Amino acid sequence: MMHGFRWGIGLSAMAAVLGGLGMWRAERAAQPVLVEVPFPEFARLPSLPPLPLPPPTMDGAADSIRVRAVSQSSGAPLAGARVSLLRGLFASGLGEQLPDETALTDASGVATFMAPGAGVMTVCARGAGHAERCERDVGVVAGGSLVVELKLPPGAVVEGQVLLHDGTPAEGVRLVASGDPMLLEMTPVWATTDAQGRYTLDGVTPGYPVGMTPFSPEGEGLHRSVGAELAAGEVRRFDFQLGAFVPVTVKPVMGRRRGTDSVESVHVNVQLQPQQDGTFTGITESGRHAVSVWGHRNGRAVSARKDVTLEPGAPVVIAFPFSELKEGGRVWQWYSSDPGEFEVSGRVFLPDGTPVKGAWIGSQKPGPRGRRCGNSAEDHAQVRFDGPEFVVTPRVGAGRIFAWLPDGRAGGAVVRGGKGERVSVDIHLEETGAVAGMMDFGDDHLWGYREEITVNHEWVGASHYTLLDGRIFVPGLKPGKHVLRTSLGTVEFNVNAREVTNVGVLRRPPEPEAAVSDSEVAASEP
């Protein structure tokens, strides 16, 4: 029995040893052995070039638009400033129309628009105690971003109280000080009266007369002028009383024909709406108005104007005769046609092939093409983009687009496209420079007029950036001597690559003094 027991113990021990040995071998077998196998050179595949990026597009939303508003005088960020996005190329201000896309800046002076629609726009801002400042014609492509910084100048304030026709406070009346359509303001200033009829228009641009239009729950009132132009920092009091609102009906009469078939618009302070019976109706504030009618008959324009006084009481019906528009002297007809537009997209690269961080793109403006006087240049638009991608829409036909940087490096490409077509082209900049200056016309300066200039006796066209206030910036000039010609005279200058030559302020030369004869001198002596 003992022997059998010892033998059993021995078998058990041997089994344990063999089992442990097997587990050890299994662990050894589970660990992979790395073996280097040389890959034959002839079997290596060549590296493929990267796939081309799809052309940029305006179809879709941008990533973001960030606008920072700071004080022009102190440089401090402005919290609570209202930022507006005005879609399309700069053409005119909004007048009394309020902007659709607005946002307020935060404590750091930044307003952020998340996932806004891509496109070309003008960005404006105004804040408490600060007038409006805009950057015109900036663009952002789908998926791209745009950063704008606006330095707001000092503004003025108009405040006061509005009363109803019965002398009680006018609550809920919106007052809109329309923006200047040419240069000073792009967006209006607006405020709504409180329960006491009080209002404050803050951020009015000083330096020119200010007017406002009241919009009551009953309708649009008469335009009011607050008087002489305001100074920076001025606070002006302006109270007024609204007249009673009355319904008005206008019956346009064209000779013996009655009806609206030849009438396109009727205004009595406000635009009246056409009715099926041939009349135009609306509601407006009582007082003195100018009734105007415009339309056409047999291909000829017809219009007229008449002063009327609207009194509160019964509805007013005005039978208004008008006739064909006649002009004295010879009239030169303007032949125009609109061939349509096409889309050009692409990217801008530095001379070494590096994508730029931002560039201006110049192209011919779309729209009607008319007969121009002399050999003046076509009208062009200049749009700033933050990244290398751009999308512009020039007029149909052969032409060139240009790209440039603030240091003067520039390049261009020839583009052709039919109506509605999409063309893609990349632009590579060259090692060029630029010329800058300022045209001072004195009292004869025509605000809102973009001066046409030549460099080396050639129209610079889309490659120049001449601003409405008389500033000149012409990039893309090869190093060497050049000649700048404007209506104020001719200037010769030198240009270096990646440098901007500033020719200073250009002024009209003084008129020569009239020569005085000897007899006039003798007559003037005592």
Side-chain angles (χ1 to χ4, degrees), residues 72-94:
Q72 177 179 287
S73 55
S74 65
L78 298 176
R82 185 177 298 276
V83 178
S84 304
L85 307 182
L86 312 181
R87 299 284 176 169
L89 288 172
F90 164 68
S92 64
L94 293 181

Side-chain angles (χ1 to χ4, degrees), residues 165-339:
H165 67 282
D166 59 2
T168 59
E171 181 182 3
V173 176
R174 189 176 74 246
L175 302 173
V176 181
S178 58
D180 186 338
M182 293 308 302
L183 189 63
L184 295 178
E185 292 179 314
M186 290 289 295
T187 62
V189 190
W190 71 92
T192 302
T193 57
D194 60 14
Q196 286 73 42
R198 295 173 300 193
Y199 72 92
T200 299
L201 292 174
D202 198 352
V204 175
T205 300
Y208 74 104
V210 176
M212 68 177 73
T213 300
F215 293 85
S216 78
E218 296 178 275
E220 179 179 341
L222 291 167
H223 187 77
R224 266 87 172 173
S225 174
V226 302
E229 61 187 41
L230 281 77
E234 180 182 354
V235 179
R236 180 173 299 179
R237 177 89 182 189
F238 182 72
D239 303 328
F240 65 92
Q241 186 172 2
L242 291 171
F245 282 79
V246 296
V248 58
T249 299
V250 174
K251 290 182 177 180
V253 180
M254 179 67 178
R256 295 183 178 180
R257 288 184 60 184
R258 295 176 181 267
T260 60
D261 55 328
S262 61
V263 178
E264 296 192 6
S265 67
V266 176
H267 282 77
V268 181
N269 178 55
V270 296
Q271 183 168 349
L272 304 183
Q273 300 302 314
Q275 307 299 318
Q276 291 184 352
D277 62 355
T279 63
F280 288 76
T281 63
I283 297 177
T284 187
E285 184 183 0
S286 58
R288 189 168 180 81
H289 294 262
V291 183
S292 61
V293 176
W294 186 89
H296 60 86
R297 186 181 185 188
N298 300 326
R300 308 180 76 176
V302 293
S303 68
R305 183 181 181 278
K306 179 181 180 181
D307 292 332
V308 298
T309 299
L310 303 180
E311 300 288 349
V316 179
V317 179
I318 304 171
F320 187 21
F322 64 104
S323 59
E324 294 181 353
L325 179 64
K326 297 181 179 179
E327 297 182 6
R330 186 177 180 182
V331 179
W332 291 91
Q333 294 184 355
W334 182 274
Y335 300 96
S336 64
S337 62
D338 189 354

